[in-house]
Amino acid sequence: MILALSLLIDMPPMPAWDMMPPLRLREERHVSAESSQFVAGEYAQGHCARPEAMPHLSLDVALLIDHDGTVAASVPRAIDCPTVEQFAAGLATGWARGNLARRARRIGWYRLRLDFDWTG
């Protein structure tokens, strides 16, 4: 609990989305067909407002990398669909875990873009 509280106190403020550097991964990851189908289902069931580029959705997630190269926080960009936002934040965190490029190990906020495509 003390570590978590200390981390929150020392957390740098999140910069504007367009000012965040992209997060570099050692091994590139891509959204799976199953993950894209989950997102498609959220839209098909009316849980979310339709994105402009249907059947595609790009979603940025901000990741705070701490002093030892782990993800300390993740913040999905708001798209008026909490289930998809949180799903994307979980994916991004998983992709980054143990997979940061050497130069991405500095403390700070980074942006990771996830591209969902359910064209068929």
Side-chain angles (χ1 to χ4, degrees), residues 59-82:
L59 180 58
D60 289 331
V61 176
L63 298 171
L64 177 61
I65 306 303
D66 70 11
H67 66 281
D68 64 353
T70 60
V71 177
S74 65
V75 179
R77 193 168 203 164
I79 58 166
D80 198 23
C81 187

Side-chain angles (χ1 to χ4, degrees), residues 27-44:
E27 190 175 311
E28 279 299 312
R29 302 280 195 247
H30 301 282
V31 173
S32 69
E34 294 82 10
S35 293
S36 287
Q37 288 306 311
F38 169 77
V39 170
E42 291 299 295
Y43 286 99

Side-chain angles (χ1 to χ4, degrees), residues 47-60:
H47 297 156
C48 309
R50 289 181 144 328
E52 294 176 17
M54 288 284 280
H56 307 281
L57 174 70
S58 291
L59 180 58
D60 289 331

Side-chain angles (χ1 to χ4, degrees), residues 17 20-31 58-65 71 74-77 88-97 99-100 109-116:
W17 287 98
M20 253 182 274
L23 183 64
R24 302 285 181 219
L25 302 176
R26 271 193 327 246
E27 190 175 311
E28 279 299 312
R29 302 280 195 247
H30 301 282
V31 173
S58 291
L59 180 58
D60 289 331
V61 176
L63 298 171
L64 177 61
I65 306 303
V71 177
S74 65
V75 179
R77 193 168 203 164
L91 282 177
T93 299
W95 289 0
R97 190 174 294 124
N99 191 29
L100 298 181
W109 287 98
Y110 295 84
R111 179 179 40 82
L112 189 60
R113 177 162 289 158
L114 288 80
D115 294 308
F116 298 92

